[in-house]
Amino acid sequence: MKVEYILDNDVDKRLDKQLRSLLSLCFAKPSDKRFKTQRYYNEMPQHRWLVRSKDKTEVIAHVAVHEKSVTFKGQQFPIAGVAEVCVHPDHRGNGHVKHLLAQAHQWMISQGYLYSVLFGKDEVYGSSGYQRVTNLYLVSEQEPYTATAVSAMVLALKQQQWPASDVELKGLSF
């Protein structure tokens, strides 16, 4: 299985259409209809890892990564926000997610990220080393500033454990 890395800025019209097709197929909640017209949920990720079909006519597996930071105890730390993880139903069970995440994790470490954060299911991401945390707060970027507690999954990419105190993530969820 060949994993491709691409900056989102380099996505052409053909790949955009393939990504929207896969994302629309994988995400079926009413709010996910946005994938028919855009290749991102709330905001455009900067990085993508994907697996294409042998004839390159479709993307069969995909992971997006946002460059983010979190704040705790007054300090900011870089995180990689994992989003839009999906595999075409005909290609599930072949280890694509694990393989894509492994490639993305290597890149995250090389870029100096301390943590990889995602919003997902324990049974899917636990085997890739992610652990559930409940001390992450999404903080709005506009007044009045509000903080909403969210449940997320975190993978420590270096030897630094996720903090026990409250952690703030400004902006939109990914």
Side-chain angles (χ1 to χ4, degrees):
M1 145 185 11
K2 182 179 181 229
V3 174
E4 296 176 44
Y5 164 77
I6 187 167
L7 285 167
D8 189 78
N9 288 341
D10 295 332
V11 172
D12 61 19
K13 286 183 182 183
R14 180 175 177 227
L15 181 54
D16 173 74
K17 184 176 179 181
Q18 292 173 350
L19 288 169
R20 287 186 290 113
S21 175
L22 178 65
L23 293 167
S24 294
L25 180 65
C26 293
F27 297 102
K29 293 185 297 195
S31 61
D32 295 334
K33 288 184 180 180
R34 66 186 79 197
F35 288 123
K36 291 196 180 299
T37 59
Q38 62 191 38
R39 64 181 180 269
Y40 61 95
Y41 190 74
N42 280 326
E43 65 181 343
M44 193 71 77
Q46 292 89 348
H47 310 277
R48 296 180 183 276
W49 283 261
L50 50 99
V51 176
R52 296 185 203 231
S53 59
K54 288 182 182 180
D55 63 3
K56 298 201 183 267
T57 59
E58 65 180 334
V59 175
I60 61 171
H62 171 266
V63 168
V65 172
H66 296 265
E67 296 177 9
K68 297 284 189 176
S69 64
V70 293
T71 304
F72 57 92
K73 293 190 176 180
Q75 293 184 291
Q76 268 196 331
F77 295 90
I79 66 162
V82 175
E84 294 139 22
V85 178
C86 59
V87 177
H88 190 285
D90 294 343
H91 299 275
R92 291 181 181 159
N94 295 317
H96 291 303
V97 169
K98 217 173 234 191
H99 197 65
L100 285 167
L101 286 174
Q103 295 287 315
H105 294 155
Q106 288 178 350
W107 177 87
M108 292 171 196
I109 291 166
S110 75
Q111 299 301 306
Y113 289 98
L114 297 180
Y115 308 103
S116 175
V117 177
L118 57 81
F119 302 98
K121 297 179 180 180
D122 294 29
E123 59 272 16
V124 175
Y125 299 102
S127 63
S128 291
Y130 286 85
Q131 297 181 331
R132 176 77 47 202
V133 298
T134 56
N135 63 333
L136 182 64
Y137 290 82
L138 288 179
V139 178
S140 62
E141 292 184 300
Q142 300 172 4
E143 290 188 41
Y145 300 110
T146 57
T148 305
V150 294
S151 178
M153 297 194 76
V154 172
L155 173 68
L157 297 168
K158 307 247 176 172
Q159 296 300 317
Q160 187 165 340
Q161 276 191 307
W162 185 257
S165 59
D166 292 349
V167 179
E168 295 182 344
L169 171 64
K170 280 194 175 170
L172 301 168
S173 64
F174 36 87

